[in-house]
Amino acid sequence: MKRILRIGIMGGTFDPIHRGHVGVAKQVKERFQLDQVLFIPTGDPHFKQGMTSASPQDRLVMTQLAIRDIDGFIASDMEVCREGVTYSVDTLEELSRLHPNDSFFFILASDAATQLHRWYRVERLAQLCDFIVVSRPGYPFDEALIHNLGLVPGLRYVLLDGLSYDVSSTGLREALAAGESVEDWLDPAVAEYIRSHGLYVGHESDGRS
Ligand code: NAP
């Protein structure tokens, strides 16, 4: 009989993907004994329509480059290829159809998790996966977060502290635009892709994380 797979879902805009994303996913994979982690760059994110800097295709390629040699890490184009606004519930419905016997674990940062109760069809989403909420510097597990998570009926979640890295894609975009070196935070192949495609040059802060 086929073994049930434990599959992590690492969704994000990945604009650009950095060592913080990959480092968190590696630690979660080990702690939760996940068989795979699917990195799914968003297409047109629900709360950020038209706000990303690099194109979905560029964000997908950078994601592929960043995880290319890591065992069990897979980049998925399913949201980039989907027409219209990206909703996680559509992604999990599709994954559940493709892998009806497997278990899904959605890895989410604490800042994004405070808004989870506002996500499209979140009750259905909560039936399709467990959530692993990872704290992010500046976004502790506070009362507001616990309260908001409690607003989602049937939500199964765990809070994981102390895994995150003090880095953000916003900070990297700003540093790149200012011509500063951010090599420490990027896979060399991602850094080269950004350079050769002229990404994030002259980008102005948009105030988002
Ligand atoms: P985001 O801006 O890329 O991420 C939000 C925060 O989490 C940022 O601090 C980000 O750091 C960090 N991060 C990104 N991916 C992470 C991950 N997988 N684990 C831990 N930290 C992570 O993305 P977002 O727009 O909030 O979306 C995150 C996921 O939630 C995506 O899969 C998105 O489709 C989903 N989402 C769904 C809905 C909906 O269905 N209605 C609404 C909102 C979000 P960096 O800035 O350094 O990347």
Side-chain angles (χ1 to χ4, degrees):
M1 206 172 84
K2 191 175 170 283
R3 194 167 69 84
I4 294 172
L5 293 182
R6 294 165 63 82
I7 303 175
I9 305 294
M10 191 75 186
T13 38
F14 302 136
D15 191 19
I17 188 164
H18 52 65
R19 291 199 194 280
H21 298 127
V22 176
V24 164
K26 278 182 178 168
Q27 294 180 75
V28 171
K29 179 172 181 278
E30 198 176 307
R31 285 222 200 168
F32 288 84
Q33 298 183 317
L34 304 179
D35 298 288
Q36 299 173 356
V37 179
L38 277 186
F39 280 70
I40 311 181
T42 52
D44 192 4
H46 179 191
F47 293 153
K48 301 180 180 169
Q49 287 167 49
M51 284 174 65
T52 50
S53 300
S55 70
Q57 196 56 38
D58 283 333
R59 292 185 288 108
L60 173 64
V61 174
M62 289 190 282
T63 302
Q64 290 166 334
L65 290 171
I67 64 171
R68 67 197 179 286
D69 293 328
I70 305 174
D71 195 33
F73 280 17
I74 299 164
S76 166
D77 65 359
M78 63 192 294
E79 291 193 355
V80 163
C81 291
R82 192 183 305 145
E83 294 283 314
V85 179
T86 300
Y87 296 115
S88 299
V89 69
D90 296 336
T91 303
L92 266 297
E93 297 260 25
E94 194 177 334
L95 286 170
S96 302
R97 266 194 305 276
L98 293 170
H99 309 271
N101 299 318
D102 296 336
S103 305
F104 295 98
F105 300 84
F106 201 114
I107 304 163
L108 193 61
S110 49
D111 51 340
T114 54
Q115 296 297 315
L116 183 63
H117 61 294
R118 296 180 54 221
W119 289 16
Y120 179 60
R121 294 180 60 216
V122 67
E123 271 190 64
R124 174 63 182 144
L125 179 64
Q127 294 170 345
L128 296 168
C129 61
D130 290 18
F131 280 82
I132 299 172
V133 180
V134 179
S135 65
R136 183 161 185 249
Y139 298 91
F141 296 141
D142 57 14
E143 269 179 40
L145 172 70
I146 308 297
H147 173 264
N148 288 352
L149 292 173
L151 297 175
V152 183
L155 185 72
R156 299 179 302 271
Y157 69 91
V158 290
L159 304 176
L160 215 52
D161 215 352
L163 289 194
S164 288
Y165 300 69
D166 198 3
V167 59
S168 75
S169 296
T170 305
L172 292 181
R173 289 194 301 274
E174 289 171 357
L176 284 161
E180 294 165 18
S181 168
V182 292
E183 311 282 304
D184 286 355
W185 288 110
L186 297 174
D187 180 281
V190 173
E192 178 51 31
Y193 187 89
I194 290 172
R195 214 176 3 254
S196 61
H197 288 74
L199 302 182
Y200 309 116
V201 177
H203 168 83
E204 287 177 19
S205 171
D206 50 22
R208 71 190 171 90
S209 54

